[in-house]
């Protein structure tokens, strides 16, 4: 008899959204208030690497609570760091090569696929690649593009912070969805 993950899916999605929004606000605040200084100090590539590191460090700590009963922080942080690095690489590469709205959409798609494939491989769940990629792409894109739209209207630090909120909610919801499945599998494995 398999045990059930007693965390409802909706709770996991909401928890992921809240957790990642906190991480996102940290990153987007540095963009809103220190982007120019970071570009001058670190260069464009260095600034992007800095932001990815902030997302990885804060995201790993904040999202771990969704799987803490079935996975150590070290294991989760390692898998999350690899998957988020590949997501970021796919996204940034698409954006820099295309430099347009098309690049952002391609980045969202390739980033979603990269993250989902990495997590599916890490947790031996290849059957989840399609559903994770689609759900993550939809929620991530809703968050990213609604924030981008708000920023285009306001075009100031307040708009950048609002973008951080929408991006965090969308991306975090997608991660919460994925982590629910991961926890479900690991709860069943531990009960056998």
């Amino acid at each position: 008899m398999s045990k059930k993950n007693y965390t409802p899916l909706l709770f996991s999605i909401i928890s992921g959204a809240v957790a990642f929004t906190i991480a996102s606000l940290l990153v987007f605040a540095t963009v809103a208030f220190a982007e120019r200084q970071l570009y001058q100090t670190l260069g464009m590539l260095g600034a992007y690497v800095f932001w990815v590191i902030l997302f990885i460090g804060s995201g790993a700590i904040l999202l771990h609570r969704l799987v803490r009963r079935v996975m150590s922080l070290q294991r989760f942080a390692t898998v999350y760091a690899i998957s988020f690095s590949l997501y970021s690489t796919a996204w940034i590469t698409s954006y820099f090569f295309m430099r347009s709205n098309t690049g952002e959409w391609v980045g969202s798609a390739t980033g979603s696929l990269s993250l989902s494939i990495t997590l599916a491989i890490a947790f031996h769940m290849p059957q989840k690649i399609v559903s994770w990629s689609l759900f993550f792409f939809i929620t991530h894109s809703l968050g990213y593009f609604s924030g981008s739209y708000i920023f285009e209207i306001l075009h100031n630090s307040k708009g950048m912070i609002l973008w951080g909120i929408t991006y965090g909610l969308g991306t975090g919801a997608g991660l919460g969805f994925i982590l629910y499945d991961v926890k479900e599998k690991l709860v069943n494995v531990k009960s056998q």
Side-chain angles (χ1 to χ4, degrees), residues 2 22 40 49 56 72 103 129 160:
S2 70
I22 295 167
Q40 290 171 348
V49 169
I56 290 170
S72 70
I129 291 172
M160 185 60 69

Side-chain angles (χ1 to χ4, degrees), residues 25 41 44 54 66 68 88 105 129 136 144 150 162 174:
L25 280 171
T41 306
M44 185 181 290
L54 277 181
L66 276 75
R68 71 176 180 262
S88 299
W105 280 104
I129 291 172
F136 188 83
Y144 178 86
I150 292 167
L162 291 171

Side-chain angles (χ1 to χ4, degrees), residues 8-180:
L9 175 59
L10 182 59
F11 181 80
S12 187
I13 290 170
I14 292 169
S15 295
V18 170
F20 196 78
T21 297
I22 295 167
S24 183
L25 280 171
L26 173 66
V27 174
F28 277 75
T30 66
V31 177
F33 302 110
E35 180 180 40
R36 182 174 297 151
Q37 293 87 343
L38 287 168
Y39 282 160
Q40 290 171 348
T41 306
L42 304 173
M44 185 181 290
L45 180 60
Y48 275 83
V49 169
F50 172 76
W51 291 319
V52 169
I53 291 169
L54 277 181
F55 269 125
I56 290 170
S58 59
I61 291 166
L62 293 164
L63 290 165
H64 176 251
R65 63 185 294 272
L66 276 75
V67 293
R68 71 176 180 262
R69 291 194 174 117
V70 294
M71 186 182 322
S72 70
L73 175 60
Q74 182 179 0
R75 179 171 182 222
F76 175 74
T78 300
V79 171
Y80 174 74
I82 293 166
S83 65
F84 198 86
S85 295
L86 293 172
Y87 152 83
S88 299
T89 301
W91 201 102
I92 292 167
T93 301
S94 297
Y95 178 72
F96 278 117
F97 277 114
M98 296 180 188
R99 287 262 184 206
S100 65
N101 192 262
T102 302
E104 291 174 311
W105 280 104
V106 171
S108 185
T110 58
S112 297
L113 191 59
S114 297
L115 182 129
S116 298
I117 289 171
T118 306
L119 292 172
I121 290 169
F123 296 113
H124 309 287
M125 300 174 75
Q127 73 281 11
K128 295 292 187 173
I129 291 172
V130 172
S131 62
W132 288 357
S133 296
L134 288 173
F135 193 88
F136 188 83
F137 173 74
I138 290 167
T139 59
H140 169 269
S141 296
L142 282 170
Y144 178 86
F145 289 105
S146 62
S148 177
Y149 179 75
I150 292 167
F151 180 72
E152 285 179 28
I153 293 169
L154 299 177
H155 211 71
N156 58 23
S157 57
K158 183 178 178 181
M160 185 60 69
I161 296 298
L162 291 171
W163 193 353
I165 292 170
T166 63
Y167 174 75
L169 289 171
T171 302
L175 289 166
F177 177 81
I178 292 169
L179 293 176
Y180 174 84

